[in-house]
Amino acid sequence: MLGGTSEARALVEALANRADLAPSVSLAGRTRNPLPYPAPTRIGGFGGAAGLVTHLRAEGIDLMVDATHPFAAIMSMNAADAARLAGVPLLALARPAWTPQPGDDWQEAESLPAALAGLGAAPRRVFAALGRNEVRALEAVPQHHYLIRSVDAVEPPLAVPLAAYVLDRGPFVLEAEIDLFKSHGIEVVLAKNSGGTASAAKLAAARTLGLKVVLVARPPRPDVEAAANVGEALAWIDARLHARSARPASARRGV
Ligand SMILES: NC(=O)c1ccc[n+]([C@@H]2O[C@H](COP(=O)([O-])OP(=O)(O)OC[C@H]3O[C@@H](n4cnc5c(N)ncnc54)[C@H](OP(=O)(O)O)[C@@H]3O)[C@@H](O)[C@H]2O)c1
């Protein structure tokens, strides 16, 4: 399991006690104190697709699930390449993107720079939930007043004159998001179109308060078998195991 999402954790939790599987997890190591998974967990890059092939072979992995974040585009491409090279069936567990509902004031941009341009030239009070990889891009548009939420502290702080920081990790709830936005006078919500439920409350809060939302669209993903939720992923794993049932259980390892 290539992890790093709430869906990855839910899937590993669903598999952890099964006698016919020995799941293992890989994390990139971006979060300082990741919530533990109930399975052996390795942390750190593999060294590209070739490194992942080596890992798949060394660990005797039979099935691979790419449950990384929808914006983890490099890892997903490497997973597709490695699966093909190592002959390991691959499933992408990819939650659907968010779509606007009636009353939403959304603008979806192809890239983060385009999204930042979409904030406009005039100073706005912006809530930014971007992740540590991307948040530093805000320095390119320093005229806004930012409220930045992240799991780990943004160190060093951004080189912008007006920024407040809040440390938190999802899942988030609507009432708390509304309170947060009101107390900081937020006018615009800036986020990636991650999809899923854990961080959707900010969009519902924006809808409730009539705020503008600027979303970064997802990067392209490789063309591999995909599941939209944990239930579909479990069904895929069971179907694969069923197809391999002629092999002895001792020969089946890994997810
Ligand atoms: N991007 C986001 O918005 C976001 C949000 C929440 C969580 N995450 C999680 O954070 C992790 C890193 O995201 P990213 O955007 O930096 O990915 P990325 O840009 O697609 O990946 C960059 C490199 O990080 C390593 N890597 C990524 N995911 C890995 C994993 N699960 N296990 C081992 N190595 C991994 C790989 O290094 P090597 O080439 O050396 O193997 C990969 O080439 C992912 O697991 C993702 O699920 C990302």
Side-chain angles (χ1 to χ4, degrees):
M1 173 89 60
L2 301 170
T5 59
S6 51
E7 288 82 2
R9 180 172 291 98
L11 182 53
V12 175
E13 284 169 356
L15 298 172
N17 293 323
R18 283 178 50 160
D20 58 342
L21 286 168
S24 61
V25 181
S26 176
L27 301 176
R30 300 281 183 273
T31 306
R32 281 194 195 109
N33 296 303
L35 296 175
Y37 285 72
T41 303
R42 65 170 296 290
I43 297 181
F46 299 99
L52 180 51
V53 169
T54 302
H55 176 81
L56 294 172
R57 289 183 176 146
E59 297 295 317
I61 300 292
D62 291 315
L63 302 175
M64 177 160 57
V65 177
D66 172 10
T68 55
H69 192 270
F71 280 77
I74 298 169
M75 188 68 251
S76 291
M77 291 304 239
N78 287 350
D81 289 345
R84 197 177 55 253
L85 291 166
V88 172
L90 170 67
L91 178 77
L93 173 50
R95 56 208 192 198
W98 292 315
T99 52
Q101 297 182 19
D104 279 334
D105 177 10
W106 283 22
Q107 181 182 328
E108 197 154 14
E110 281 303 306
S111 65
L112 182 54
L116 295 179
L119 296 175
R124 313 288 298 275
R125 297 184 69 92
V126 178
F127 172 76
L130 291 174
R132 278 199 301 165
N133 285 352
E134 295 96 347
V135 72
R136 214 149 283 283
L138 297 178
E139 292 176 344
V141 280
Q143 71 271 30
H144 304 295
H145 190 150
Y146 293 109
L147 173 63
I148 292 154
R149 181 164 68 196
S150 56
V151 175
D152 293 315
V154 177
E155 292 290 352
L158 297 187
V160 297
L162 295 167
Y165 298 87
V166 53
L167 296 184
D168 208 349
R169 78 166 98 208
F172 300 102
V173 295
L174 175 61
E175 293 72 22
E177 298 289 65
I178 290 174
D179 288 348
L180 182 71
F181 293 175
K182 277 186 172 171
S183 64
H184 288 266
I186 296 301
E187 298 170 290
V188 183
V189 172
L190 171 66
K192 297 182 290 192
N193 193 336
S194 301
T197 54
S199 60
K202 59 179 174 272
L203 303 174
R207 189 175 306 128
T208 303
L209 297 173
L211 307 182
K212 177 175 173 162
V213 174
V214 178
L215 284 178
V216 183
R218 295 169 171 213
R221 297 196 47 116
D223 185 17
V224 301
E225 284 188 88
N229 54 51
V230 170
E232 288 181 23
L234 286 169
W236 181 87
I237 290 166
D238 283 335
R240 288 286 175 175
L241 290 182
H242 186 70
R244 298 166 46 87
S245 58
R247 284 182 62 184
S250 59
R252 296 178 212 132
R253 298 182 56 203
V255 165

